[in-house]
Amino acid sequence: MIEQTFIYPFHHTILYDYFDDGEMECINDELGNLLSNSSVYIDEHHKKLFNESKTKSLCLDSQYDDRNKSFILNKIRKIYDLYLHRVIGDKNPFLNYIPLSNYDQTFIQYYYNGSDYFEHHDGAILTILYVLYDKESKFDGGEFVFTKYRYKPYLTNNCCIIFPSYEIHKVEKIFSEEKEKPVRYSINQRIWIK
């Protein structure tokens, strides 16, 4: 794993090669199973995302009666261990919210040809966004943008970006010859202090 922390245009951290190969295989399996066996998460925000942006979204927490049954929910929690063991965190003061948080919620987004995610901010303290795509997927677009700054951080497959949830962001439209299956995924973990 490679960590890069930036202070411009605001403090944020990117962790590259976050999951190992075995973890990625299990995550991809779960993403596929969820897509075929789950319903789209529909609250007003995600209903708009589905209807206007062609992006499917699931609240991962609502798909399981026990969080321990989800490989994804268990593996994304390693961010807490990385912080507590000081593998990450020295340069980004926002990461100090990680051990203080006592509530989180996780969403999965499935991006297809023509999908995007409109400009918004997350209703949490800190957002941990994991970007994933099949290495064989061919697509253009899909850049993650902090719109206030017109800033596009360099995000690759199997990385996560940690940023304050109040920062306004979007995902630009994706273009792909693949018409039937998703070409890009994101796991959006939001943490709070209640």
Side-chain angles (χ1 to χ4, degrees):
M1 180 172 18
I2 300 167
E3 175 189 359
Q4 289 190 329
T5 295
F6 303 87
I7 59 171
Y8 179 83
F10 54 86
H11 281 93
H12 60 288
T13 297
I14 303 174
L15 303 172
Y16 297 97
D17 298 320
Y18 187 78
F19 301 110
D20 66 34
D21 290 342
E23 290 170 339
M24 281 299 301
E25 186 175 329
C26 292
I27 287 169
N28 287 330
D29 288 345
E30 186 172 351
L31 289 170
N33 290 334
L34 286 166
L35 184 60
S36 59
N37 298 318
S38 302
S39 59
V40 173
Y41 185 76
I42 302 292
D43 60 9
E44 286 307 311
H45 177 84
H46 293 95
K47 186 176 183 179
K48 178 180 177 185
L49 180 62
F50 182 67
N51 291 333
E52 295 181 15
S53 298
K54 301 178 186 167
T55 300
K56 292 183 180 176
S57 185
L58 301 173
C59 178
L60 192 54
D61 307 88
S62 70
Q63 304 298 318
Y64 297 96
D65 58 350
D66 177 358
R67 289 177 67 125
N68 292 318
K69 293 179 181 177
S70 168
F71 186 84
I72 293 172
L73 286 174
N74 281 294
K75 281 302 164 189
I76 62 174
R77 295 199 58 80
K78 79 177 181 180
I79 197 77
Y80 292 91
D81 290 335
L82 292 172
Y83 178 85
L84 291 173
H85 292 104
R86 291 312 208 189
V87 176
I88 62 168
D90 290 26
K91 300 172 191 150
N92 183 347
F94 288 107
L95 298 185
N96 292 314
Y97 284 117
I98 291 173
L100 300 175
S101 71
N102 56 7
Y103 180 75
D104 67 289
Q105 194 171 36
T106 302
F107 293 88
I108 306 284
Q109 277 79 41
Y110 295 89
Y111 293 92
Y112 296 79
N113 177 52
S115 290
D116 62 17
Y117 202 132
F118 50 80
E119 185 178 271
H120 68 287
H121 63 82
D122 298 327
I125 291 175
L126 202 61
T127 297
I128 306 167
L129 179 73
Y130 306 83
V131 176
L132 306 169
Y133 48 87
D134 185 335
K135 291 178 183 176
E136 296 177 14
S137 292
K138 303 281 190 235
F139 65 89
D140 292 314
E143 287 91 1
F144 183 79
V145 183
F146 290 100
T147 54
K148 178 179 176 183
Y149 313 100
R150 295 188 191 123
Y151 170 56
K152 297 179 183 182
Y154 178 68
L155 302 180
T156 61
N157 179 45
N158 189 20
C159 76
C160 76
I161 181 169
I162 307 166
F163 60 92
S165 298
Y166 60 76
E167 291 294 350
I168 297 172
H169 54 280
K170 71 176 184 176
V171 175
E172 294 182 333
K173 189 170 283 202
I174 288 177
F175 302 95
S176 171
E177 292 182 11
E178 176 60 59
K179 305 298 180 196
E180 301 299 319
K181 66 178 189 173
V183 295
R184 183 185 184 278
Y185 310 86
S186 65
I187 302 169
N188 185 325
Q189 180 183 21
R190 302 172 189 176
I191 66 172
W192 287 266
I193 300 170
K194 285 193 166 187

